[in-house]
Amino acid sequence: MKIFAVGMNYAEHNKELKNTLLITEKYERKTAEPVIFTKADSALLKDGKPFFVPDFMGRIDYEAELVVRICRLGKRIPVKFAHRYYDAVTLGVDFTARDMQRQAKELGRPWTIAKGFDGSAAIGTWVTLDSDSASPQIAKSNIQQLSFNLDINGNTVQQGNTADMLYTVDELISYISRFFTLKTGDLLYTGTPVGVGPVNIGDHLTGYLEGSKVLELNCR
């Protein structure tokens, strides 16, 4: 299983992290491709297991985002066929060691440790996608119209909608498949909206997709 993730896929989030990521206006204008990174399989945190805050890594931020599950083998997938390669979605949290990420950017180094450490890819309960809009599940045709939010200790800290993505799910899958063969069970974290911030020991996180709770975990 591979875990792919996308950086800077929501415009307002890019603005809030401009200083952290050292993104210049010149860079933003010239970036015509999505920012892709990977997480180790040991980063996956599921079944409501607690997130153990690695305080030795400095500030740890939450980043709520839609996660897509790949359902078939694919390579060099055209955008128009990308919808055939995923079958479920959920809400995930891309935990990020923000201090370490900033230091890595300043030194021109990869984000690997800051993004891919153990437990850094929390994931909720899967919601099956269905092409029939009358289905009680989410219609696949609505994937770019999904609302989601993350609450911490009962207070909403992030709200987003996939309509605001700079690169759509299908575009991301097509792009990634140019370089990596996608396999059944691979995951794609599609980017986070504005509102990221730090987590602390004792925090209780709940995540909602289209108003339904799909994620719940404690920070220890």
Side-chain angles (χ1 to χ4, degrees), residues 141-156:
S141 60
N142 291 337
I143 195 162
Q144 294 304 148
Q145 302 171 25
L146 300 180
S147 62
F148 58 91
N149 63 277
L150 178 71
D151 292 3
I152 297 183
N153 304 325
N155 299 311
T156 299

Side-chain angles (χ1 to χ4, degrees), residues 11-26:
E12 292 303 312
H13 169 64
N14 298 351
K15 293 177 183 178
E16 76 175 339
L17 287 191
K18 188 167 185 176
N19 291 334
T20 300
L21 298 181
L22 301 179
I23 305 168
T24 65
E25 292 183 3
K26 180 178 180 181

